[in-house]
Amino acid sequence: MPEVALDFPRSWMEFPDPADPAQVFRVDLTWLCSRWQCVWGSGCQGIRPGRASDGCCTLGAHYSDAADEKRVKAAAARLTPETWQFHAEGTSAKGKGKGKLDITEKDPDGERQTRVHEGACIFLNRPGFAGGAGCALHGLALREDRHPLETKPDVCWQLPIRRTYENVTRPDGTEILAVSIGEYDRRGWGAGGHDLNWWCTGNTEAHTAFDPVYVSYRPELVELMGEEAYLMLVGFCEEYLSARVPLAPHPASLPLLT
């Protein structure tokens, strides 16, 4: 089945943040109850033609803020030549492996991101590397018995969850912050997202998980929403899925659900 269209019916719901009365969550139940899972290495076709093994790591990862970059640098400092294929290139400005971290560059708009080296993120270990293919920062977290959200750039561990914010003025003049938790589809990448070779969230090849997203992405959602709000979300998702025919299921998950 080809990639589904970007626009289709979705079930959204809104509920107050139990930890902040000035904030509400808007959650996309269609996405969070879908059966998406990352299929890197087992069906992922990559965002750039001919580079399937890159997955979505062909581009450098933009840091969300200075704290994000600082955390990634601290993790990178714990990598070794045995666990990071491009350790030498990433640990000195001249690529001679002298120990000084050199993992950041600026994109054409001046935004800071991880360096691109040999066509992909410098932290991406390529197939055949003795230390294991895939994100070196992800591997570091697993070896240290951490969750990858503690070592990887924010954008990397959040994908394909997208969190956005909107300041809303209600009819009575009160103001709230609406936090939306939904699918990071092609539009999430900006105008260039339409030119990606392949993207997983709308492809049936990636909607093969046993657990729905709200279960498999529990740590990430707790980090994005807080524990109390996540537990409320679980209740809403369970109620949604308990329907004989859930309203507006994700079309890419339909072959599995039926």
Side-chain angles (χ1 to χ4, degrees):
M1 179 179 177
E3 183 175 351
V4 301
L6 285 169
D7 294 313
F8 51 83
R10 292 181 182 269
S11 292
W12 286 84
M13 73 166 300
E14 180 176 298
F15 63 94
D17 182 353
D20 187 349
Q23 184 166 286
V24 299
F25 283 107
R26 293 173 175 169
V27 294
D28 179 1
L29 298 182
T30 293
W31 169 245
L32 295 172
C33 293
S34 76
R35 297 310 173 108
W36 175 90
Q37 65 177 342
C38 177
V39 292
W40 178 80
S42 58
C44 176
Q45 299 176 40
I47 62 174
R48 187 161 293 172
R51 297 190 66 100
S53 62
D54 289 354
C56 55
C57 303
T58 301
L59 306 175
H62 286 82
Y63 301 116
S64 59
D65 53 27
D68 184 29
E69 182 175 357
K70 181 179 179 180
R71 179 173 47 77
V72 171
K73 284 183 175 179
R78 303 197 298 275
L79 293 170
T80 67
E82 291 72 34
T83 60
W84 181 16
Q85 182 176 3
F86 301 110
H87 184 273
E89 290 78 6
T91 52
S92 82
K94 295 182 179 180
K96 301 298 182 181
K98 296 181 180 179
K100 180 181 178 181
L101 283 174
D102 182 23
I103 62 171
T104 299
E105 65 184 9
K106 292 183 179 180
D107 71 4
D109 296 321
E111 301 294 326
R112 296 176 70 80
Q113 64 175 45
T114 60
R115 281 178 57 199
V116 173
H117 179 69
E118 294 187 1
C121 177
I122 196 168
F123 289 112
L124 181 66
N125 295 335
R126 311 304 199 264
F129 175 60
C135 176
L137 296 171
H138 192 110
L140 174 70
L142 299 183
R143 287 190 300 276
E144 294 182 341
D145 197 26
R146 302 171 182 264
H147 191 279
L149 64 81
E150 297 182 50
T151 59
K152 298 171 70 173
D154 286 341
V155 67
C156 298
W157 64 258
Q158 290 176 19
L159 279 172
I161 301 291
R162 187 162 187 249
R163 180 176 62 177
T164 58
Y165 301 91
E166 180 185 2
N167 290 305
V168 178
T169 301
R170 288 171 164 168
D172 62 358
T174 58
E175 295 185 353
I176 60 165
L177 179 64
V179 183
S180 295
I181 305 291
E183 176 182 342
Y184 202 110
D185 62 17
R186 285 180 177 270
R187 292 188 177 115
W189 293 83
H194 296 283
D195 299 325
L196 298 179
N197 170 59
W198 186 85
W199 184 238
C200 60
T201 67
N203 272 278
T204 55
E205 295 98 324
H207 284 251
T208 55
F210 178 79
D211 289 321
V213 171
Y214 79 88
V215 174
S216 62
Y217 259 53
R218 180 189 187 282
E220 292 87 349
L221 288 167
V222 168
E223 185 70 18
L224 292 170
M225 306 176 69
E227 182 75 32
E228 288 184 272
Y230 173 75
L231 291 176
M232 292 181 67
L233 171 67
V234 169
F236 297 132
C237 288
E238 289 178 345
E239 185 174 358
Y240 172 81
L241 288 174
S242 69
R244 185 172 183 180
V245 180
L247 181 64
H250 200 292
S253 285
L254 279 175
L256 184 63
L257 296 175
T258 56

